[in-house]
Amino acid sequence: MSTQEIIQQFEPKQHNLLHILHALQDAHPENYITEEALEAAAGHLGVTKSTVYGVARYYTMFSLKPRGKHIIRVCASPVCELLHVNDIIAALEEELSIKTGETTKDGLFTLELSECLGQCQEAPSMMINDKIFNNLTSARIREVIQSFKDEARK
Amino acid sequence: MSIQETRIVLKNAGKINPLSIDDYIRAGGYAGLRKALQMNPADVIDELMEAGLRGRGGAGFSTGMKQKFTSESCQRCPQRYVVVNADEGEPGTFKDRIIMEQDPHLYLEGTIIAAWAIQATQAYIYIRGEYHESIDKTQKAIEDAYAAGFLGKNILGSGFDLDVEIRLGAGSYLCGEELTMLESLEGKRGNPRIKPPFPAEKGVFGMPTLVNNVETLANAPLIIANGREWYRQFGTERSPGTKIFTISGQVNKPGHYEVPLGVPLQDLIDLAGGMRNGKKFKAALLGGAAGTFVDASMLGEKMTYDNLREKGATLGSGAIIVMAEGDPVYDILHNCLRFFRHESCGKCVPCRVGTTQLVKQADQLKSANGDRKKILEQMVLESQIMAGTSLCPLGQSPILPLESAAKYFSKELCTTHH
Amino acid sequence: MNKQVTITIDNQKITAPEGANLLQVAKDNQVAIPHLCYHKKLTPTGACRLCIVKIEGQRGMVASCAVLVSEGMQVTAFDDELEEARKYLLDYLLSEHNEAFDGSYSDEFRELVHAYGLDKAENRRFPSIWKELGYPKDETSPVLSYDAAKCIKCFRCIKACDEVQGKNVLSFTNRGIISYIIGGFDKWGESECDGCGECIQLCPTGAIVEKPHRGEIHMDNGIRKVRTTCPYCGVGCQLELLVQDGKVVRSNGVEGVSPNDGRLCVKGRFGYDYVNHPDRLTKPLIKKDGKFEEASWDEALDLVANKFSEIKQKYGRKALAGYASAKTTNEDNYLFMKLVRTVFGNNNVDYCTRLCHASTVTAMLRSLGDGAGSNSIEDYETSDCMLVTGNNMIETHPVTATFVKYAAQRRDAKIIIIDPKWTPLVKDAHIWLQPRLGTDVALLNGMIRVIVEEDLIDRDFIEKRVEDGMEAYEALKALVGKYTPEYVEEVTGVPADLMQEAARIYAKAERPLIATGMGYSQQVTGTHNVFCLINMMLITGQIGREGAGLNPPRGQNNVQGVSDVGASPFTYPGYISVEDEENRRKVAKVWGVAPEELDGEKGLSTVEIMQAAYDGDIKGMYIMGENPMLTDPNLNHTEESIRKLEFLVVQDIFHTETTPYADVILPATAFAESEGTYVNSDRRVLRVRKAVGPPGEARQDWEIVAEIARRMGKPLGNYQHESDIWDEIARTAPIFAGISYDRLEHHGIQWPCPDKDHPGTATLFEERFNTPNGLGKLHPVDYAEQSERATDAYPLILNTGRILYQYHSSTMSRRNKALTDFANEAYVLMHPGDAENQGIINGQKVKIISRRGEIEDIVVKVSEEVLPGELFMPFHYSEAPVNKLTRDELDPYSKIAPFKLSAVKIEA
């Protein structure tokens, strides 16, 4: 779908802005919202540019910079920290050869931290795109990352 | 011998297919709604008020009272809204997720009852953007409820109309705060509004709005179907009913447990399988980041809103993060302070700058040039100023973990870390 | 009126309206609770938290800006705990703040920091962290700079832009401590910001500051502040000019005073630099052998006096004429008018009103007895329906538009726009009717028919307030019978349902205002257009009370005043006819001349004067502050006319398109160098004050006029000061009788003001209309097709108009870098369909040709702002003189020229 087609699905009311931004970001292969898309959203809603920009910059799920195909979001809650999520993050950084906040050279992964994912019964946890991974260990990390890499190769 | 759960809200959880409205109806679902629609809206509110239901989002305010205010304000207003707060983001908390994933019709039914009670014809369910499964299951529940005549025009022949729509969050803890949620619902940045006006007078789109938490609404069908007396058999006089606690950390069986309000903390830990690998209990963080640390001296305390408040602790969202001997309180406190800094919207001065300065001081506490005790005292003092002057609950929160950590673990926090 | 309640603040008893804002109540009663984010004009924000107080019965500290007062409220505003908390808050702010201060702005935060002793490092608790936060500076705007490290994030700029100006251009980016203000996508210069600077004015810290003169200004060092009235459009905004070293270096809006309450537009705030421009005329110039040479005042004035006397003697008193000026003061124009009538001896005095609202005024005079706006500018804010006809008010009257937008955005008022061209107000409009150019009469008759058919008339009003009552109504009803929705749609292109809805909303509204502009007046049918508006207004009874009426926002700062003080071929000061003998006697008496010295025959109007010059009947002309060689219609004809004059005097502040044709050029003062008064669009007499001295030998217009009269042997009077002239105006014109300079010291007064105890008149026609019998008059008029229409040879219809950043012939506006940075190039708007048909692409330069003339090198902007078949061009640019294309076929009633409709063709 084109940017316009995505936007036109929504009634031109500002309360749809978050949904529009979600839809625009989800539709982009690099998981972000382009400036053109922001401008189109502002035009559709009849609001100023800063209105959409300010909203996009407020909510952490939105990115205005290109990201990887898969967004890894590691839960950084106190519970996960208590259960050594820092080791998991270190393992991910090593496995992906990037720091938190960066995207792998092949454009496959972006590593981010997240607020509590609400998976505390099986912490530590992370999400890759919209899928949850719990009871993480360094070994499990390697397994999961490998499976995404394998899939990409197919 | 540990206590048993008392599952009323979670009675269907894990037992029925959450994607099947028929399963839900077979389990007695929508009986509360049928009954409510036979009642006067005011009587519905009265029933909830008399049952003593208190908001399960954390504040513990009387649900019936909130509904009464909303239903009675601005009679000229052409529209009234129900907003379901499903923006569960308090660290260590996942009770709403469990309801949404395992029995979505229950809170949807509660939503419809609330809408009838305040005569709202539009409801929004604001779910955090990361809760994909909750979103999908709620969406399915809504669609099935429309098909079955529980939503839409002329619900069950009552003449009452209601539309329900899911609205997505996008990564902001603060949007779980009701005045901020209203801004977010309007497609704006999550900056909290000032009070007055209260949502009950001027909420979303300037109209009277009732904001209720998922767990709160999930109680409503049970109360209406079974009556206030039935409900009051659970819990205590001032905190009737049950509460879902989410117990995590150093216990053998972390998870969600529904018990009557008033059970002691120790029982809850036992319910969660006791301390992991037989470790010794050191501390618990009750209520999440915006919660309080307690030590072993509090294990016998009854878990009610009022009792904990009297003891300087909080029940909050029902999160219980259990720490064992050897676990660093400093790290968890630091985590909480970083969290507040990250989630502060920046609107008011004490929260915007205070949350940043607290993290800096917490760093100093570790690297520690100077008098650690003085630094910790200063941090507590600042958090008091923040609590006294901040615009919304976020800036009023750092005091909770900070003061309680300082109270129970001052010695640990003020000695050299490694 | 709200109930009054009594509260106590720190044991002081205070009475205030119930529900009033506690912080404001404290301020009003000299309880100085510290605050930074609160501003009277804005909704409370609750961001800075400094205004915390304690209230008996409430827990802890509360922000007083968010408290509404109620009976018996007991407030503690100052105690140790509160002061300690405030100190903390300021300390917090300081830690994220760059304290560097260059003295070029006032800084409320800095003052508080001093007051709490936090300027001393030893009193601070927090380390400075602003450097590590990565705060940027945004220098991309042409007029202002933003420094995030100076910003305390109080929201005042955001709300100034949103709530006051209705633009909402600003927001925050990021969140928490690293948040800061943005325009657009974090580039102010690429945002929708139009440079009004409301954000600057309300910024408490100097995070947002004007760029012009920033380096020169030192607020603590010799800055003088002079209050005056804006020299641009007819809103009459009250300005405070900052003067340093004899130069205007900044302009602020004056808070708390009508009509603008501190608001300005980009021209009012940044358009003053022309005053100090090197191009200013500084010496009289006399043309010798085709070249201008500097001359002494004596030489120049003697020459002018002699030449005028000579022409009068040779050709008779009717051979002289004068153009007065809508730019100069009432006092200047009054003496100018007096010179034409008593020294020239005729009534050939007119000015640019003939080119703008003459038709509106004519229709209003005939129907209502007064040609001025019937309501106050503030009424727009509380109106529930605004019918905006041919009026691009966001660009032409930006500050009036802020009130209109406020009503629409925050009070759900409905704006109905009638305009063939898109204007920015469409964004806030409920309905936009887009009739083809020149079909307004049909459209309005259609609306009237809807009102008739659906019985939305006000029978009582018609019977009591309209001449011939229901009988007149029946005549109108009969006439509009044929304007069925279908027929009207066919003629105008406006969908019938929209037209019907607009009519219903207007007729049913409680406080509907009509704001009519050049789009309605500058047509051959200009007077008819306004007759139709008035017909609709009268049968629905939508006039004669606060918030209901008809208002033509005036285009120039003093276009209202110049008519008011009698610079008109038809009327003396105060709108009394020159043809009435009784009036003549009265005026002659005040002026101390014999009644027969005053010409009893009405004079020639603006375009007629040019025509008479062309025909050889006018031989000598005195033009004060007008530029007909750019602003008159059919410029080629104007040029021929001017060339035929034997003697032309032009008095101005710059060389203009007209000065080359002059024999003598006289240097006059600009607004900031003048004393006097203007009258704005809502009849408000406002003071103009001298802030700086004139350049070189320039003199204020009235002094030059008086000198010429004296040298022609007929002194106008003995005036020591402008107030002497005003007092004579007040004696001559009954509408001004009660107004004097001392009454104007702090605020303007709306005429009529018949005596010195009269407060002025906010709303006209409450009891009666100003017609002889006191009744309003219906003028049913039929739609007639335009004589000028698209043909095969000239297939497009050209509309002309104004833009925000330039002003009229741009002699003033274009000499401000701030304004030209925003817009400095002529263009023509063309519908995408037409562009495609003609094979023209966006940005291409074209030639535009009409039957009268042609202009070249005009950049095409392809835009859906115009209808297919129609073009639009701004008229400001001398290198693209669009009036070479326009017609001088006049509206028969008002003699206005139809700038809005010319058939043209385009050549690539």
Side-chain angles (χ1 to χ4, degrees):
Chain A
M1 262 199 291
S2 75
T3 300
Q4 273 307 330
E5 282 166 339
I6 293 168
I7 289 173
Q8 294 298 335
Q9 294 173 291
F10 298 91
E11 220 193 321
K13 298 256 169 76
Q14 191 181 338
H15 71 254
N16 284 323
L17 178 53
L18 268 67
H19 280 220
I20 291 174
L21 295 178
H22 272 302
L24 288 169
Q25 175 162 288
D26 291 349
H28 199 286
E30 288 172 289
N31 273 308
Y32 84 114
I33 309 163
T34 64
E35 227 170 67
E36 293 70 41
L38 282 180
E39 196 147 5
H44 180 63
L45 299 177
V47 298
T48 54
K49 289 201 227 174
S50 70
T51 304
V52 291
Y53 189 88
V55 167
R57 293 286 305 161
Y58 180 89
Y59 295 93
T60 54
M61 287 179 79
F62 299 132
S63 175
L64 300 182
K65 293 205 176 88
R67 294 189 291 182
K69 185 173 175 207
H70 305 297
I71 311 292
I72 304 173
R73 316 181 79 214
V74 186
C75 179
S77 76
V79 180
C80 287
E81 174 151 5
L82 190 63
L83 301 175
H84 310 296
V85 79
N86 288 335
D87 298 344
I88 303 300
I89 295 168
L92 276 165
E93 290 184 340
E94 193 192 319
E95 185 65 25
L96 299 169
S97 304
I98 53 172
K99 293 270 165 226
T100 303
E102 294 176 350
T103 300
T104 54
K105 280 211 183 78
D106 58 8
L108 213 48
F109 299 98
T110 297
L111 179 59
E112 295 178 355
L113 298 184
S114 167
E115 300 322 318
C116 183
L117 293 172
Q119 301 292 331
C120 323
Q121 80 286 2
E122 294 169 290
S125 310
M126 68 176 181
M127 282 177 91
I128 300 183
N129 307 328
D130 53 7
K131 201 163 177 295
I132 295 279
F133 297 85
N134 286 335
N135 290 321
L136 296 176
T137 59
S138 303
R140 172 125 171 82
I141 287 294
R142 281 187 280 278
E143 204 178 289
V144 170
I145 295 300
Q146 196 54 48
S147 73
F148 275 90
K149 284 182 179 168
D150 290 346
E151 193 200 339
R153 252 181 240 118
K154 271 182 210 162
Chain B
M1 176 63 200
S2 77
I3 60 154
Q4 297 295 309
E5 276 193 80
T6 304
R7 289 198 163 202
I8 59 173
V9 171
L10 295 178
K11 72 177 162 51
N12 293 333
K15 294 199 174 141
I16 65 165
N17 176 3
L19 296 175
S20 166
I21 191 171
D22 293 338
D23 271 23
Y24 179 70
I25 293 170
R26 232 173 280 129
Y30 288 109
L33 175 62
R34 282 180 201 283
K35 194 167 161 197
L37 291 173
Q38 309 290 322
M39 296 162 69
N40 272 329
D43 293 341
V44 173
I45 293 173
D46 205 44
E47 192 67 23
L48 296 175
M49 192 139 44
E50 292 302 318
L53 176 61
R54 295 170 72 167
R56 298 293 194 249
F61 191 75
S62 161
T63 304
M65 200 70 90
K66 208 172 182 182
Q67 296 192 352
K68 190 168 150 69
F69 288 151
T70 316
S71 70
E72 288 175 356
S73 76
C74 186
Q75 294 307 313
R76 287 172 299 121
C77 288
Q79 181 65 273
R80 241 155 251 279
Y81 295 98
V82 169
V83 170
V84 182
N85 187 342
D87 191 42
E88 186 168 66
E90 189 62 53
T93 309
F94 50 98
K95 63 190 179 71
D96 295 338
R97 178 175 66 79
I98 298 298
I99 295 170
M100 290 189 280
E101 289 179 1
Q102 302 194 8
D103 198 12
H105 281 286
L106 179 63
Y107 88 102
L108 183 59
E109 184 184 352
T111 304
I112 306 169
I113 291 171
W116 168 250
I118 68 156
Q119 294 291 294
T121 56
Q122 175 73 53
Y124 296 109
I125 302 176
Y126 187 99
I127 310 181
R128 65 182 293 199
E130 298 92 337
Y131 269 15
H132 292 278
E133 196 177 330
S134 297
I135 294 163
D136 293 345
K137 285 183 171 158
T138 299
Q139 186 57 45
K140 170 83 166 99
I142 291 172
E143 283 161 20
D144 290 348
Y146 268 105
F150 298 123
L151 282 176
K153 295 265 173 247
N154 192 18
I155 295 169
L156 299 175
S158 64
F160 176 60
D161 305 336
L162 176 67
D163 287 309
V164 175
E165 217 180 294
I166 295 178
R167 311 301 295 182
L168 297 186
S172 163
Y173 165 73
L174 185 50
C175 288
E177 190 279 319
E178 65 177 12
L179 287 151
T180 314
M181 180 170 290
L182 302 176
E183 287 285 289
S184 187
L185 272 170
E186 293 180 5
K188 299 174 184 165
R189 290 167 59 83
N191 295 326
R193 296 180 181 175
I194 52 170
K195 295 186 262 198
F198 290 85
E201 307 155 40
K202 265 186 153 187
V204 70
F205 309 123
M207 296 296 144
T209 302
L210 173 74
V211 186
N212 274 160
N213 169 263
V214 169
E215 186 187 353
T216 312
L217 289 169
N219 275 281
L222 310 173
I223 294 170
I224 298 300
N226 302 304
R228 61 182 87 159
E229 292 312 321
W230 170 84
Y231 191 73
R232 278 189 168 277
Q233 68 178 297
F234 309 106
T236 67
E237 175 62 26
R238 290 178 63 199
S239 292
T242 61
K243 175 84 191 83
I244 304 171
F245 289 92
T246 51
I247 309 175
S248 61
Q250 305 286 18
V251 289
N252 282 317
K253 292 193 294 174
H256 51 278
Y257 298 92
E258 182 179 2
V259 296
L261 281 159
V263 304
L265 177 57
Q266 179 68 59
D267 284 8
L268 280 163
I269 291 171
D270 292 347
L271 199 54
M275 293 301 292
R276 184 173 292 197
N277 305 330
K279 287 182 184 174
K280 196 173 165 215
F281 176 89
K282 176 182 180 183
L285 180 55
L286 304 182
T292 47
F293 287 95
V294 293
D295 72 356
S297 69
M298 294 284 284
L299 281 169
E301 289 299 334
K302 286 186 170 167
M303 300 290 278
T304 68
Y305 294 105
D306 303 306
N307 181 50
L308 288 180
R309 190 174 301 142
E310 279 163 31
K311 304 284 158 32
T314 53
L315 189 126
S317 60
I320 300 174
I321 303 169
V322 180
M323 299 170 67
E325 205 75 271
D327 287 336
V329 169
Y330 173 86
D331 287 0
I332 302 308
L333 175 62
H334 199 281
N335 185 300
C336 292
L337 296 177
R338 287 199 314 271
F339 173 70
F340 292 128
R341 180 184 63 180
H342 186 259
E343 298 300 328
S344 170
C345 76
K347 179 173 177 179
C348 79
V349 174
C351 177
R352 177 178 74 235
V353 189
T355 53
T356 300
Q357 293 287 5
L358 281 179
V359 173
K360 279 193 127 23
Q361 287 159 329
D363 291 341
Q364 272 179 14
L365 200 56
K366 187 167 195 171
S367 64
N369 297 317
D371 185 344
R372 290 201 176 94
K373 198 147 182 268
K374 219 172 139 190
I375 294 172
L376 187 60
E377 277 169 14
Q378 176 63 23
M379 286 173 74
V380 173
L381 179 64
E382 283 165 30
S383 70
Q384 283 165 355
I385 299 270
M386 288 170 68
T389 58
S390 287
L391 166 59
C392 90
L394 200 145
Q396 295 160 8
S397 295
I399 192 174
L400 298 169
L402 187 51
E403 201 173 43
S404 55
K407 176 176 168 189
Y408 295 110
F409 303 102
S410 164
K411 212 171 139 206
E412 179 186 336
L413 292 171
C414 293
T415 48
T416 314
H417 301 272
H418 29 81
Chain C
M1 178 94 185
N2 274 359
K3 197 177 100 188
Q4 294 287 311
V5 295
T6 304
I7 65 169
T8 60
I9 305 180
D10 292 339
N11 300 319
Q12 180 186 342
K13 262 197 170 22
I14 287 170
T15 314
E18 184 169 38
N21 182 296
L22 174 58
L23 178 57
Q24 188 62 45
V25 168
K27 268 169 88 87
D28 293 344
N29 288 278
Q30 287 74 50
V31 180
I33 301 173
H35 62 87
L36 286 169
C37 68
Y38 177 79
H39 191 283
K40 195 178 182 174
K41 284 203 287 193
L42 310 174
T43 58
T45 304
C48 77
R49 316 306 289 171
L50 287 166
C51 70
I52 42 172
V53 295
K54 292 176 186 166
I55 297 173
E56 188 97 350
Q58 293 189 28
R59 214 157 44 92
M61 301 182 277
V62 292
S64 58
C65 68
V67 174
L68 311 178
V69 301
S70 58
E71 180 60 45
M73 187 176 266
Q74 297 200 28
V75 181
T76 305
F78 293 93
D79 68 12
D80 291 349
E81 192 189 357
L82 288 163
E83 287 290 272
E84 180 67 6
R86 286 179 187 132
K87 214 170 190 174
Y88 258 100
L89 294 169
L90 288 167
D91 210 353
Y92 274 140
L93 273 173
L94 269 173
S95 73
E96 60 164 6
H97 192 77
N98 177 5
E99 288 165 76
F101 179 60
D102 69 4
S104 67
Y105 51 87
S106 6
D107 191 333
E108 296 171 31
F109 174 52
R110 200 160 171 269
E111 285 162 22
L112 277 176
V113 165
H114 278 263
Y116 280 81
L118 289 165
D119 48 329
K120 300 184 187 70
E122 67 268 25
N123 292 340
R124 298 184 189 179
R125 291 190 184 84
F126 301 110
S128 175
I129 53 171
W130 69 269
K131 280 188 185 148
E132 58 199 69
L133 298 173
Y135 287 138
K137 282 186 190 174
D138 188 337
E139 299 277 1
T140 57
S141 160
V143 291
L144 58 85
S145 46
Y146 169 71
D147 183 350
K150 302 285 305 170
C151 175
I152 57 164
K153 300 160 189 175
C154 65
F155 285 71
R156 268 161 62 164
C157 55
I158 291 180
K159 290 189 169 190
C161 191
D162 181 20
E163 296 176 3
V164 179
Q165 289 277 344
K167 296 167 190 166
N168 199 22
V169 170
L170 305 179
S171 179
F172 275 102
T173 185
N174 302 335
R175 68 187 192 201
I177 191 110
I178 53 167
S179 61
Y180 60 89
I181 304 291
I182 52 158
F185 299 152
D186 204 357
K187 272 204 189 88
W188 216 298
E190 291 171 21
S191 73
E192 303 86 347
C193 171
D194 67 9
C196 73
E198 188 79 32
C199 55
I200 304 172
Q201 181 146 332
L202 296 198
C203 176
T205 64
I208 309 175
V209 184
E210 296 95 338
K211 274 186 177 171
H213 308 291
R214 173 95 190 250
E216 306 160 38
I217 298 177
H218 293 284
M219 295 299 288
D220 301 332
N221 189 6
I223 284 267
R224 219 158 38 84
K225 294 177 178 177
V226 181
R227 189 171 142 191
T228 189
T229 302
C230 180
Y232 285 97
C233 78
V235 178
C237 291
Q238 295 300 287
L239 305 179
E240 183 184 73
L241 298 179
L242 269 61
V243 180
Q244 182 171 288
D245 301 331
K247 197 169 95 180
V248 179
V249 289
R250 189 170 286 169
S251 162
N252 287 323
V254 180
E255 299 285 347
V257 180
S258 288
N260 54 315
D261 193 13
R263 306 156 192 226
L264 294 178
C265 76
V266 64
K267 294 189 290 286
R269 192 173 301 277
F270 294 107
Y272 55 80
D273 265 348
Y274 75 89
V275 171
N276 200 40
H277 197 276
D279 289 352
R280 282 290 299 277
L281 296 172
T282 57
K283 269 183 165 279
L285 300 171
I286 295 175
K287 195 186 266 170
K288 290 177 181 161
D289 302 325
K291 276 168 72 182
F292 285 109
E293 288 179 14
E294 290 187 353
S296 72
W297 272 108
D298 270 337
E299 188 187 352
L301 290 170
D302 280 340
L303 177 63
V304 170
N306 291 340
K307 276 287 183 185
F308 281 153
S309 299
E310 208 178 288
I311 288 170
K312 188 175 169 185
Q313 209 147 30
K314 191 164 161 195
Y315 301 104
R317 66 180 189 176
K318 299 270 194 193
L320 291 169
Y323 276 1
S325 172
K327 304 297 323 150
T328 62
T329 65
N330 293 320
E331 292 73 6
D332 296 330
N333 280 287
Y334 173 79
L335 286 199
F336 187 88
M337 172 274 318
K338 197 174 171 187
L339 171 129
V340 172
R341 299 201 206 279
T342 64
V343 184
F344 287 1
N346 63 42
N347 291 316
N348 294 337
V349 58
D350 205 359
Y351 69 113
C352 66
T353 188
R354 217 54 54 201
L355 308 177
C356 66
H357 261 310
S359 49
T360 318
V361 171
T362 302
M364 289 176 76
L365 280 172
R366 291 184 184 210
S367 304
L368 313 172
D370 243 323
S374 59
N375 304 79
S376 298
I377 286 171
E378 306 91 281
D379 282 12
Y380 287 111
E381 197 169 68
T382 52
S383 165
D384 60 348
C385 166
M386 283 158 285
L387 178 60
V388 179
T389 60
N391 181 355
N392 180 6
M393 63 160 70
I394 287 186
E395 301 205 62
T396 59
H397 298 84
V399 171
T400 301
T402 63
F403 294 101
V404 174
K405 283 185 282 183
Y406 185 91
Q409 293 172 0
R410 297 177 196 279
R411 297 175 55 97
D412 289 330
K414 293 195 162 63
I415 299 178
I416 300 163
I417 292 178
I418 301 181
D419 207 312
K421 177 185 168 289
W422 182 90
T423 72
L425 192 62
V426 168
K427 281 185 281 195
D428 290 296
H430 181 64
I431 294 178
W432 173 28
L433 306 180
Q434 201 180 8
R436 293 184 191 104
L437 277 165
T439 62
D440 303 281
V441 169
L443 180 66
L444 289 172
N445 279 341
M447 289 173 70
I448 292 171
R449 185 178 181 278
V450 171
I451 289 165
V452 169
E453 290 292 307
E454 301 184 9
D455 200 25
L456 302 172
I457 62 168
D458 184 339
R459 199 163 266 111
D460 189 51
F461 188 93
I462 296 171
E463 279 167 358
K464 288 188 181 137
R465 304 283 311 264
V466 175
E467 188 175 305
D468 298 330
M470 290 306 286
E471 206 178 306
Y473 167 72
E474 287 301 328
L476 176 66
K477 182 177 170 182
L479 178 119
V480 299
K482 64 174 172 288
Y483 294 89
T484 61
E486 300 72 33
Y487 170 66
V488 172
E489 178 165 342
E490 189 190 311
V491 173
T492 64
V494 172
D497 55 335
L498 280 185
M499 180 274 286
Q500 289 166 308
E501 196 192 339
R504 289 177 198 128
I505 291 171
Y506 174 77
K508 290 178 186 170
E510 284 179 9
R511 296 169 66 92
L513 288 172
I514 300 174
T516 185
M518 299 297 97
Y520 258 38
S521 63
Q522 290 176 338
Q523 295 193 33
V524 172
T525 57
T527 306
H528 278 187
N529 292 345
V530 180
F531 274 148
C532 289
L533 284 175
I534 295 172
N535 292 342
M536 185 164 80
M537 187 172 71
L538 287 176
I539 63 166
T540 50
Q542 300 289 37
I543 186 167
R545 57 183 193 272
E546 195 184 294
L550 174 62
N551 297 276
R554 314 306 307 255
Q556 306 231 25
N557 53 329
N558 199 29
V559 70
Q560 181 67 47
V562 182
S563 285
D564 295 345
V565 301
S568 151
F570 320 122
T571 53
Y572 292 127
Y575 299 96
I576 50 184
S577 168
V578 299
E579 292 174 295
D580 182 291
E581 210 181 314
E582 166 95 27
N583 290 341
R584 222 157 45 237
R585 268 202 302 277
K586 276 189 202 158
V587 169
K589 193 172 168 219
V590 179
W591 289 352
V593 299
E596 56 277 11
E597 276 189 55
L598 298 179
D599 189 351
E601 193 185 339
K602 64 183 179 187
L604 299 175
S605 66
T606 303
V607 180
E608 286 172 330
I609 288 172
M610 278 302 157
Q611 189 61 43
Y614 185 84
D615 295 339
D617 296 333
I618 297 285
K619 296 291 188 187
M621 245 191 112
Y622 185 5
I623 297 177
M624 173 173 82
E626 292 237 333
N627 186 10
M629 275 310 298
L630 193 61
T631 57
D632 275 13
N634 195 356
L635 280 181
N636 291 337
H637 182 80
T638 304
E639 183 180 356
E640 286 174 51
S641 308
I642 283 191
R643 281 187 188 284
K644 288 189 175 179
L645 290 171
E646 281 186 19
F647 189 66
L648 172 64
V649 178
V650 176
Q651 185 166 307
D652 216 312
I653 60 172
F654 290 111
H655 279 291
T656 67
E657 286 69 26
T658 307
T659 51
Y661 301 90
D663 296 283
V664 179
I665 303 173
L666 302 174
T669 53
F671 87 110
E673 300 144 5
S674 306
E675 285 283 338
T677 55
Y678 299 150
V679 185
N680 77 342
S681 295
D682 62 357
R683 299 169 278 104
R684 214 178 295 250
V685 183
L686 299 157
R687 275 286 270 126
V688 179
R689 294 183 182 85
K690 182 173 172 172
V692 294
E697 298 175 18
R699 294 185 185 177
Q700 187 164 345
D701 292 274
W702 72 263
E703 293 177 289
I704 306 171
V705 171
E707 219 18 62
I708 291 171
R710 191 179 67 82
R711 286 168 203 248
M712 287 178 77
K714 293 197 168 180
L716 297 175
N718 182 23
Y719 310 107
Q720 299 305 314
H721 185 264
E722 291 73 15
S723 62
D724 299 337
I725 307 173
W726 176 264
D727 291 343
E728 184 177 312
I729 296 173
R731 285 198 301 277
T732 315
I735 55 172
F736 294 131
I739 303 177
S740 59
Y741 272 28
D742 39 320
R743 286 192 71 186
L744 296 175
E745 195 52 33
H746 299 293
H747 55 83
I749 298 176
Q750 287 167 285
W751 66 255
C753 176
D755 61 67
K756 69 178 184 358
D757 299 318
H758 192 282
T761 307
T763 307
L764 292 183
F765 316 131
E766 285 184 309
E767 304 293 328
R768 63 190 303 279
F769 292 105
N770 209 19
T771 49
N773 61 10
L775 298 173
K777 192 165 163 42
L778 295 175
H779 288 89
V781 287
D782 241 328
Y783 165 70
E785 250 189 274
Q786 299 278 334
S787 61
E788 178 95 347
R789 64 189 86 160
T791 61
D792 288 346
Y794 298 96
L796 299 164
I797 296 292
L798 173 72
N799 183 1
T800 69
R802 289 171 281 174
I803 63 165
L804 175 66
Y805 301 101
Q806 295 297 344
Y807 182 72
H808 288 265
S809 62
S810 73
T811 4
M812 289 157 52
S813 57
R814 236 173 163 181
R815 287 185 173 91
N816 298 278
K817 184 172 181 302
L819 300 180
T820 53
D821 278 352
F822 275 108
N824 200 23
E825 189 183 49
Y827 58 85
V828 61
L829 295 183
M830 187 180 222
H831 191 272
D834 291 331
E836 202 183 315
N837 289 342
Q838 308 233 356
I840 286 168
I841 56 164
N842 194 40
Q844 188 174 343
K845 287 191 170 177
V846 297
K847 183 193 270 189
I848 308 176
I849 305 161
S850 81
R851 293 183 183 89
R852 273 76 54 189
E854 61 181 58
I855 51 178
E856 287 182 293
D857 282 339
I858 310 298
V859 174
V860 174
K861 281 193 193 175
V862 176
S863 164
E864 290 186 14
E865 291 182 15
V866 289
L867 282 169
E870 299 185 0
L871 306 171
F872 173 85
M873 252 190 97
F875 72 84
H876 308 294
Y877 301 103
S878 56
E879 68 277 18
V882 67
N883 283 326
K884 283 193 172 176
L885 309 177
T886 53
R887 291 173 294 152
D888 51 6
E889 177 192 348
L890 303 183
D891 170 37
Y893 303 87
S894 66
K895 316 295 184 197
I896 201 166
F899 294 101
K900 297 293 176 190
L901 199 158
S902 313
V904 298
K905 64 181 169 186
I906 293 242
E907 284 179 5

